[in-house]
Amino acid sequence: MPVKGRFAPSPSGRMHLGNLFSFLLAWLSARHEGGSLVLRVEDLDPVRCLPAHAWQLMEDLEWLGLNWDEGGDVPSYWQSNRSHLYAAAFQTLEARGLTYPCFCSRLQRLNEAPHIHQVSPSCPCAALTPEEAAQRTKEKTPSYRLRVPHKTVSFVDGLQGPCSQDLAADCGDFPIKRSDGAWAYQLAVVVDDAAMGVTQVVRGRDLLSSTPRQLWLYQVLGLPAPEFYHVPLLLAPDGRRLAKRDADLDMGALRRRFSPQELLGLLSRMAGQQKTAEPVSAAQLVSTFDWLNVPREDIIVAPELLS
Ligand code: GLU
């Protein structure tokens, strides 16, 4: 089956070096196999996500020579236009008795931070009878959680190797819909990767712990799961993870200081694809790309990148 990779940015700010590192590897991996890529805009959160950031991100990727074959500015590839698909998946789960309404107020916050692994606390709402739940729904709009069993989900990550989690102990019943009606990242990403025929997910290692929950959703929804590669995060010299707030390493600042080839040279050395940081185009890296040379551990940003 031909490889289909994806870029799945959340347009909540200017792309930074860490996003770019993951996108470069996603692009190289798909292109090396002669595969295609989808660009899906993950704008589920209407407060944090702005179309202007998505347009800028696409322009930044084009500047770097990282192209895609589907999606991008096509409205149906923006998650804010795909609610009907998440609602249909939710109904499937609900019809199978796998969801329950939750009236606890902490859920909203849990759902906003997929990059930070948190075990969903055991919830008293799991034990409510349908009558009790219906009664409480009249007073408060609930969130919904997916009921998970004590089951170990194991998989082999293409870069990190064998991984496993006990769903109940390591994840807990996790939110799939917020009380304000917003769909959870975990549900949307699974529905979309399956609907778009994605076969290969390359993303930051901070999402490794979400993968067993997503594999469980693929299984209960009867959808084919992609293969996963979780790539290292980039760290500041003090060991801190780079974030969108590190404005000196966002694309605006980087584009003022480097040409696309210079930036790709530095990134490809960090990614183990070149011995030196010699300037290079994205296309020149495709034929020699090799996952075996990509480091597994988080990487301190090359000193040349720090102004
Ligand atoms: N939209 C997520 C982000 O920008 C990535 C989700 C994923 O790759 O599964 O962090």
Side-chain angles (χ1 to χ4, degrees), residues 6 8-10 42 115 185 189 201-203 207 214:
R6 42 78 146 183
S10 299
E42 302 215 322
H115 296 272
Y185 156 72
V189 79
V201 169
V202 177
R203 60 188 180 191
L207 287 167
Q214 292 171 14

Side-chain angles (χ1 to χ4, degrees), residues 110-151:
L110 278 176
N111 200 16
E112 279 163 5
H115 296 272
I116 303 165
H117 182 64
Q118 300 180 57
V119 180
S120 301
S122 65
C123 174
C125 305
L128 294 176
T129 64
E131 295 72 31
E132 287 167 335
Q135 185 55 40
R136 292 191 62 177
T137 304
K138 287 185 195 147
E139 293 146 25
K140 184 177 180 187
T141 309
S143 306
Y144 286 84
R145 296 195 195 215
L146 188 76
R147 210 184 282 280
V148 297
H150 262 295
K151 183 180 158 67

Side-chain angles (χ1 to χ4, degrees), residues 142-223:
S143 306
Y144 286 84
R145 296 195 195 215
L146 188 76
R147 210 184 282 280
V148 297
H150 262 295
K151 183 180 158 67
T152 301
V153 174
S154 302
F155 69 104
V156 180
D157 184 84
L159 189 59
Q160 304 296 335
C163 304
S164 65
Q165 276 181 1
D166 178 284
L167 287 173
D170 299 331
C171 306
D173 296 342
F174 61 89
I176 52 174
K177 187 181 183 185
R178 280 185 353 195
S179 58
D180 63 4
W183 298 101
Y185 156 72
Q186 308 288 1
L187 181 69
V189 79
V190 165
V191 168
D192 285 343
D193 278 334
M196 294 176 186
V198 168
T199 65
Q200 186 179 82
V201 169
V202 177
R203 60 188 180 191
R205 212 161 83 125
D206 48 349
L207 287 167
L208 183 64
S209 63
S210 282
T211 307
R213 275 172 284 177
Q214 292 171 14
L215 286 169
W216 180 243
L217 276 168
Y218 281 107
Q219 192 173 325
V220 292
L221 289 168
L223 298 170

Side-chain angles (χ1 to χ4, degrees), residues 74-97:
V74 179
S76 61
Y77 285 74
W78 290 47
Q79 289 189 325
S80 55
N81 295 323
R82 299 175 63 81
S83 298
H84 56 293
L85 297 169
Y86 315 137
F90 179 80
Q91 274 161 19
T92 303
L93 299 169
E94 197 173 38
R96 294 186 50 195

